[in-house]
Amino acid sequence: MSGEGEDVDCRTVVEQIYAYLDGELEGAEVSRLKSHLEECPPCVTEYERDQLLKRLVQRSCACEQAPTTLRAQIMTQITTVSYTRVEYRADG
């Protein structure tokens, strides 16, 4: 993590660790992340910590299931597509 470009790359990698752990990244992103982890001990530390936390949560919550109504509400939120469009207009 010596150069400024590496810091930005590390930040991006750390932001994508959970998506990687959840199998939500595409092939090129997976390859880039794996390659970075092979060369960056601080990011490996973040990865291992997040992986451990994810396992702990899975183990701790394995016996409980969300109520049917809550699961339905979450699925509705996930499948509802909404977005905000922001436009920049240069006056002049």
Side-chain angles (χ1 to χ4, degrees), residues 7-23:
D7 289 341
V8 172
D9 193 46
C10 287
R11 190 174 318 125
T12 301
V13 167
V14 169
E15 289 172 356
Q16 292 182 332
I17 287 176
Y18 277 107
Y20 174 71
L21 289 170
D22 292 339

Side-chain angles (χ1 to χ4, degrees), residues 25-89:
L25 297 180
E26 298 295 321
E29 293 171 311
V30 169
S31 295
R32 186 182 61 75
L33 195 133
K34 281 183 177 180
S35 177
H36 181 87
L37 289 175
E38 289 173 0
E39 300 174 5
C40 186
C43 285
V44 169
T45 300
E46 289 289 324
Y47 168 77
E48 290 172 345
R49 180 185 54 107
D50 291 350
Q51 185 179 43
L52 181 63
L53 179 62
K54 183 177 173 71
R55 286 182 187 158
L56 178 63
V57 169
Q58 284 174 338
R59 186 176 57 216
S60 298
C61 299
C63 60
E64 295 183 33
Q65 188 173 26
T68 305
T69 55
L70 177 59
R71 291 195 339 246
Q73 289 173 349
I74 291 170
M75 290 306 296
T76 299
Q77 290 294 322
I78 291 171
T79 57
T80 301
V81 178
S82 64
Y83 65 93
T84 302
R85 183 175 176 182
V86 177
E87 293 182 17
Y88 173 77
R89 294 185 194 174

